[in-house]
Amino acid sequence: MPRKIDTPLLKALVHSQSEHEREIGDSEQTGFVLKHLPSGAVHFYAVVARGRRETIAHAQGSGRRAVKREGEGELWPVDARDVLDRAKKSITLTWVRAECRRLQGKTLDGTDYNAARRAQRGIPTLREFVDANIEGSYGWWVVHNRKDGAATLARIKHCFLKPHGDLKLDQLTPNVLDAWRTKRLNGIGMRRASRETCNRDTGALKACLSKALQWNILKAHPLANFRPAKVDRHRRAIRRLYEPEVDALKKALESREDRLREERRRGNAWREERGYAPLPTLDGAYVDALRPAVELSIETGLRKGECFGLTWEMVDLKQSMIRLPGEATKSYLSREIPLNERALKVLREWKMQQGRPDKGYVFAGSAGHITSLKRSFNKVLGEAGIERQNGGGRVSWHSLRHTFGSRLGDANVDANTLRELMGHASLEVTVWYLKSAKERKRAAVEALHDLGAASDPARRT
């Protein structure tokens, strides 16, 4: 027999005893059910469909209860006396009724919780979303549409699948990422990483979630308010090479090749003495790809990926021009780079040494093209006496491109021409090459000195 579930009824149940459990349906709220146990404890249920119930509060043993609160993992022990206790504001009968309405998808403000739950069930987990074998997933899309898609996907999987792969995309909230970053920065349960590395990792994840937002999988970006870790940009900035350093680098590259040729000659002599077949000689213009790649980058300003991905079809030695198609550049904008005499000499000698190929990668490797010369390049930097890290910034392969741009700026090349040669999408980056940061600061300080001299009456006379 339905009855109104209210405070008087609960008081009566607390002080009554029964040999059998019984259920009472609420006469005022359809689908609101109370189960009374012989111990005096109660269950609260919401009938959400025919033959299906959702538990609002359930027994935990010994007549105790546990309130199931959405999004929380804790168990809240309650019984009928708890509901009657006004000090326990979170488990009042009013709250239990509201929870029943929520589970049924019935709210006073018109919110459709059932639709929200259906939408939430449709949100994939991170593991599903980055699975490259699922057509239409982010993993499948990024591999087929981004030049560095495979590397981006590998970064996300390596960093986030183990700790958070089973979370739905909307559960990757700032507090989850903050906890992950704290562990990563301090090496707690994982390999320690720098702030810059953490920023690159979280940046890849945020881009992944942005695509889910664009595809209407998410209604809002869960990491919109997540901020990157602060870093000392001056310490980490990649700097240019100055002319004495460029000269020292070229001499170190030549010394390296002389040393490798001598080592090969001694090695072949040793092999001939013992009846072994000699190895190919290194008597060509270059020993390997390091020296021509470095010199070409300094003279053309090619990015690392553009340099190693350069093909002979893009090189026009007759017109002294490199023509990069949009798919080969970072900004997806095609550009032409005229070759000066030094760049022409490098490419002609390297092409002659490679057997005059008409197509294929300029710097070919065992599988496709060379992707990195970092180890040998860093070793040559040391031999040239160039510090890879100092107060002025750090030196990497990208410093060769900075050197090219800074040289053009020093030569007073106009901003638009410099932008076209560098392949920048806008002038905002180009202006930094017009004069180096140190030169701008020095000019500013000297301007103050000149201003003081002009305002001094004694100096004017």
Side-chain angles (χ1 to χ4, degrees), residues 253 286 288-300 302 307-308 346 350 362-363 370 373 397 400:
L253 288 169
Y286 301 102
D288 53 23
L290 179 62
R291 183 180 164 199
V294 169
E295 293 182 350
L296 183 65
S297 297
I298 292 176
E299 302 300 334
T300 61
L302 290 172
C307 179
F308 293 157
V346 169
W350 181 248
V362 174
F363 302 109
I370 293 173
L373 295 171
W397 190 278
L400 306 178

Side-chain angles (χ1 to χ4, degrees), residues 350-364:
W350 181 248
K351 186 172 186 177
M352 179 77 71
Q353 184 170 327
Q354 299 299 307
R356 295 180 177 273
D358 294 326
K359 58 183 179 179
Y361 291 109
V362 174
F363 302 109

Side-chain angles (χ1 to χ4, degrees), residues 315-356:
V315 178
D316 187 346
L317 294 179
K318 293 182 179 179
Q319 298 294 325
S320 302
M321 189 76 68
I322 288 178
R323 296 183 176 91
L324 296 175
E327 58 269 19
T329 66
K330 179 181 178 181
S331 59
Y332 287 91
L333 297 174
S334 59
R335 76 178 190 272
E336 294 184 344
I337 306 173
L339 298 172
N340 59 26
E341 288 299 323
R342 291 185 293 273
L344 274 174
K345 179 176 182 294
V346 169
L347 286 172
R348 283 170 177 161
E349 291 180 345
W350 181 248
K351 186 172 186 177
M352 179 77 71
Q353 184 170 327
Q354 299 299 307
R356 295 180 177 273

Side-chain angles (χ1 to χ4, degrees), residues 380-440:
V380 170
L381 287 177
E383 294 173 354
I386 300 173
E387 296 182 8
R388 292 172 53 198
Q389 179 72 59
N390 58 33
R394 62 190 180 96
V395 175
S396 69
W397 190 278
H398 204 66
S399 297
L400 306 178
R401 174 173 164 83
H402 280 329
T403 303
F404 172 78
S406 299
R407 280 175 161 181
L408 294 178
D410 294 341
N412 294 320
V413 173
D414 66 276
N416 193 55
T417 301
L418 179 54
R419 180 188 65 81
E420 292 176 353
L421 289 172
M422 295 293 289
H424 295 148
S426 68
L427 285 172
E428 293 180 4
V429 180
T430 307
V431 295
W432 287 93
Y433 289 99
L434 298 180
K435 282 191 176 181
S436 68
K438 286 185 176 180
E439 290 170 339
R440 289 196 306 273

